[in-house]
Amino acid sequence: AHPPSMATVRLVSTAARFARTWSVSGTRASRTAMRRAPPATARAVALSSFNATVPTASAIPLSRRGLARRSVRVMATASGNDIDEGYRSPPPDVAQFVERPESPGISISPQRDKLLYTFRPPPYPFVSELARPELKLAGLRVDETQNSRSRMSGNTGMAIGPMPTSEAEIGVYETFKGIPEGATINYVSWATDGARIAFTVRFAGPTVSDADRAPPELWIADVKTLECRPLLPGRGLNTLFESYSWLDNNTIAACVVPANRPPRPAKSPTPRGPRVQTNASGVVAQARTYADLLKDAHDADLFEYFASSEFVVVDVETKEVAPFGNGEAKMHTRLDPSPDGEFAIVEELLRPFSYEIPCGRFPKRVRVVNRLGETVREVADLPLADEIPIVHNSCRAGPRGINWRPDKPAELYWTEAQDGGDPRVEASPRDVTYVADMHDANGPAAAGVARFETDLRYGGVSWGADGLGILYESWYKTRTIRAWVVDTHGRADRPRRLLYDRDYEDSYDEPGSPLSRRMPDGTYLLAQIEGPLPEDGWKKPKEPKGGAEKEKNGKDVTPRLRPEPASSWFTGATLVTEGDGASDAGDKPFLDLLNLDTGETRRLWECSGTNALERPGSIISDAHGAPITMETLKILLSRETPSENPQYYSLELGGAEKLAPRRISDFPHPHPSLVDPPKRIMRYKRADGVDLNATLYTPPGYDAERDGPLPTLMWAYPREFNSAEAAGQLRDSPNRFTSISPMSPLVWLARGYAILEGPSLPIIGDADKGVEPNDTYIEQLVAGARAAVDEAARLGVCDPKRVAVGGHSYGAFMASNLLAHAPELFACAVARSGAYNRTLTPFGFQSEERTLWEAKETYQAMSPFMHANVIKKPILLIHGEEDTNSGTNVIQSERFFAALKGNGADARLVLLPHESHSTRGLESVMHVLAETSDFLDAHLKAGGTPKAKL
């Protein structure tokens, strides 16, 4: 749970974004910020000197940079032997992308007058950090020295500055005082009044010994004086599940490691006995192939030991500490205070555990406690959830989604499935949502009252003031999402009314999602426009698709409910909605006014779509609970172009004179030596008429007539759809910034390759007719790939004899399938962290709901492992040895390589020590780039190609 002052983006199940956070993170650093950032680390210096001396993708070990020499395990069919190679380094033109400047994270103060900067370390830690001991328990990986999740990232410093009102204030800030040198900062949050900032401090990194590592400590920063100090000296937090929560502006409830905790349980050298599992009752309990599960009783003891914590309350001003409740250590996973701070939701895990599912499905107790930590209401006592079906729209039986209403001081709400959590069971209603007011005259334990019912799966509520709400429900099989205008107070004279019923795959028909605004107590409610509204420019609501309409291919459209304007209950509410504005011309994000009573909309602002992509974010004119009016409305806006990385602006929509957006950031370009690679969005058709699109990049300075066709890398990820119409829609913008990370296929532009990025490879089914997408997976995959390559070749850019296909995860699965079933299209394949034998994921994968035994032919036909005997083109397999993804255990690549080798294929398997599903270690990232560079050069560039002119 996040502290109340941390506004997080809240998503309803399949509803679009409806509440925006004040935090703007994941951005690039301003030039001023980079100048004032902490001194470069030793690794940054090593990287700079390294790139100046290494000319090619050679086997020079990283020890040349002062880094410890380590090995990567490589298996190649050429020699038939396993090779323990040193980590290698790619050519400088590729290595440059590893050195992207790290920008600070930015969050806006509750009063919208300050920016908090949190400085980040280099994005790729040394493999030695990933190699640290970690416990694999119940689906988690635990760093026992910190009593936290392992492999945590963090920040290296904090600073604060004004919300810029002029160019001179952009990137101007002051650093906080008193933070220990070399500290790593996590869990940063504002107090509701913005006067203080809480955070945690710990020590980590390659130079920190185990003796100096400890659980993070809770600290506090004074925004006015910039002074920082510890709140619980010597008392570490247990952040395995929870960290801390603000109860009010002066009080924090912290989740701490139990006092006087004994040493962790020791494993007996002699087993207690055999490990036994049974299903004598014949229960159907299906589960995906989860990683890092408990293996035995000792694992269970370790999990309980590290998951157990105590709650304490600390006064920020006096530093007085008191137990929260009876101080008993439990496996706490959540403490979520009510908006008034008088109550809190507390969750804890219980035994018995399971060896087959992760801890998220373990037995769980949920209760409400008062300000003293005393239990005032038992909300749920949930048993082990090992029988949840694997099909979409399944959920846990019993109360779920237990939260506080943001519009009430302390009113609880939760939802209970009436179908037992199994969508295959017919039920009406399917879900019921209950409310219970902790300030009820009958006490906090008063019975819950049914407030909402849905016939589809409940997807959440956007809460507004004065009992206004928007209720969401959705259904996967028909790709349906519905939104209802509801009275959250449950008054009988205010019946719910349909706002829309639509296909959520249909991006062109997306109406936009309501924005939220911050309230003085730190909660977020629907943003309603107060005061005068524009009189002209209003449009009537669209007619829903359905009924007699048919798609282009003649397929019937799923019938939709028809919205009606208000007739008995008039809300008088006008909301602000934002949407992506997807269209055949590309995304044109927009802001609309929405009259909730009539359904009419008025376009307030729209991205022009000319030369730039602009996206609206959160409302920033809501400080101190100020009303949102047409005169005062301000929106945070991001703006980018193909060559200019995203910057943040304040979009001032009010006033008689339309003002240009005011810039508030100045982030440096992440890869200035490759600023604007030419790109074009290709539009073309599959052989069966399905519309497709892809983005084609070429190296800077490339001229098709002069340079001729290029070797091309196609990097893709197939997706399932329920209709051809939705599958053919464009979900991109030609004005999107071309961001190139080290693991992006775009790095190969610097080596002279053309890149065919993200070609649509839709796998289309028809739920109404019982046709599953994967029944024709291979045929549709090959048809989509062929159409993409043919179009790129038709444009004169792609040399059809020198095309590689690649992808990550499900994209790796795709790449190997294409090498098996379309060898005439591709010269070679690069497959990272993939799954290749679907019989090893027998209880579903990706969007496949059927088990192996229900769709045996489909599972086998889709498995490249079963077709290893026909793969004759070279393939490079790369996989992290510690992959935690449920469907891509490293055994997938090992077995696939063995099958390829056994059939004489040209294959190379690279196993990266200590890496998980995505590659994080610096040495690993460099080695992957080196391996891929050599592989592509060997198999695609036989004729030679001019490199990019940088």
Side-chain angles (χ1 to χ4, degrees), residues 281-328:
S281 59
V283 171
V284 176
Q286 302 172 347
R288 296 280 175 112
T289 48
Y290 299 110
D292 300 335
L293 301 179
L294 299 177
K295 299 183 293 295
D296 51 34
H298 179 250
D299 272 4
D301 293 343
L302 286 175
F303 176 78
E304 182 171 16
Y305 177 84
F306 287 104
S308 295
S309 61
E310 299 169 356
F311 285 126
V312 298
V313 174
V314 56
D315 187 295
V316 173
E317 192 68 36
T318 67
K319 296 199 293 185
E320 293 180 1
V321 181
F324 190 62
N326 60 13
E328 183 181 354

Side-chain angles (χ1 to χ4, degrees), residues 23-38 100-108 115-123 154-161 170-173 175 645-648 664-668:
S23 175
V24 189
S25 58
T27 54
R28 302 282 163 229
S30 70
R31 293 180 179 89
T32 307
M34 291 301 292
R35 287 197 297 269
R36 299 182 182 180
R100 295 159 59 100
E102 274 302 289
S103 63
I106 297 179
S107 68
I108 305 176
L115 295 182
L116 173 67
Y117 299 86
T118 50
F119 300 105
R120 300 184 176 115
N155 302 294
T156 57
M158 297 196 310
I160 197 163
I170 296 175
V172 173
Y173 58 77
T175 56
N645 50 305
Q647 303 288 353
Y648 284 98
I664 63 174
S665 69
D666 184 18
F667 304 146

Side-chain angles (χ1 to χ4, degrees), residues 637-866:
L637 182 79
S638 70
R639 184 183 190 277
E640 62 191 275
T641 71
S643 61
E644 298 174 351
N645 50 305
Q647 303 288 353
Y648 284 98
Y649 293 76
S650 173
L651 176 62
E652 301 180 9
L653 295 166
E657 182 180 354
K658 295 297 182 182
L659 301 176
R662 175 167 47 82
R663 188 166 56 90
I664 63 174
S665 69
D666 184 18
F667 304 146
H669 199 288
H671 36 81
S673 62
L674 190 58
V675 171
D676 189 14
K679 71 175 180 179
R680 65 185 297 173
I681 293 180
M682 306 188 323
R683 306 300 302 271
Y684 52 98
K685 291 182 181 291
R686 205 165 69 177
D688 58 2
V690 174
D691 291 321
L692 302 176
N693 59 80
T695 305
L696 179 63
Y697 292 87
T698 54
Y702 168 74
D703 181 270
E705 292 186 6
R706 181 192 66 209
D707 301 324
L710 295 176
T712 302
L713 172 60
M714 186 181 96
W715 199 267
Y717 193 99
R719 300 185 185 278
E720 297 84 0
F721 289 90
N722 196 45
S723 71
E725 180 184 17
Q729 292 179 347
L730 178 62
R731 297 171 177 84
D732 197 359
S733 167
N735 300 314
R736 175 172 55 85
F737 171 62
T738 304
S739 178
I740 306 178
S741 70
M743 303 309 288
S744 163
L746 300 185
V747 300
W748 309 114
L749 290 169
R751 300 288 291 168
Y753 292 89
I755 307 299
L756 191 55
E757 185 189 43
S760 9
L761 298 175
I763 311 300
I764 305 167
D766 188 339
D768 293 337
K769 297 180 179 179
V771 176
E772 294 292 336
N774 286 338
D775 288 344
T776 54
Y777 173 86
I778 297 299
E779 295 85 345
Q780 295 193 65
L781 182 69
V782 171
R786 187 181 304 280
V789 172
D790 287 349
E791 178 64 11
R794 185 189 69 80
L795 295 173
V797 174
C798 168
D799 180 348
K801 295 181 179 179
R802 293 188 293 164
V803 182
V805 61
H808 176 263
S809 195
Y810 205 54
F813 174 71
M814 164 218 71
S816 52
N817 260 314
L818 286 173
L819 213 59
H821 300 287
E824 71 281 6
L825 291 178
F826 301 104
C828 59
V830 178
R832 299 176 184 168
S833 304
Y836 310 102
N837 184 351
R838 286 304 169 193
T839 68
L840 297 178
T841 57
F843 292 109
F845 56 91
Q846 208 69 6
S847 294
E848 180 58 64
E849 297 181 314
R850 299 167 296 180
T851 70
L852 166 65
W853 300 274
E854 293 170 327
K856 187 176 297 184
E857 291 183 1
T858 297
Y859 272 65
Q860 292 178 339
M862 291 180 68
S863 296
F865 179 87
M866 302 298 180

Side-chain angles (χ1 to χ4, degrees), residues 528-595:
Q528 300 184 43
I529 298 293
E530 301 182 28
L533 296 169
E535 296 182 358
D536 59 351
W538 293 88
K539 294 183 178 180
K540 293 183 178 181
K542 294 180 180 179
E543 289 292 321
K545 295 181 179 180
E549 293 186 34
K550 291 181 180 291
E551 290 186 0
K552 297 176 183 178
N553 62 0
K555 174 187 169 183
D556 291 332
V557 177
T558 301
R560 302 290 175 193
L561 301 179
R562 185 174 298 275
E564 296 290 342
S567 57
S568 59
W569 169 39
F570 294 89
T571 67
T574 300
L575 306 183
V576 182
T577 64
E578 64 90 17
D580 289 333
S583 70
D584 279 335
D587 288 354
K588 293 184 179 181
F590 64 85
L591 288 167
D592 276 354
L593 296 177
L594 169 64
N595 185 317

Side-chain angles (χ1 to χ4, degrees), residues 146-167:
Q146 297 179 162
N147 213 116
S148 68
R149 307 287 177 97
S150 63
R151 309 186 182 202
M152 285 177 62
S153 58
N155 302 294
T156 57
M158 297 196 310
I160 197 163
M163 180 70 155
T165 58
S166 67
E167 287 283 329

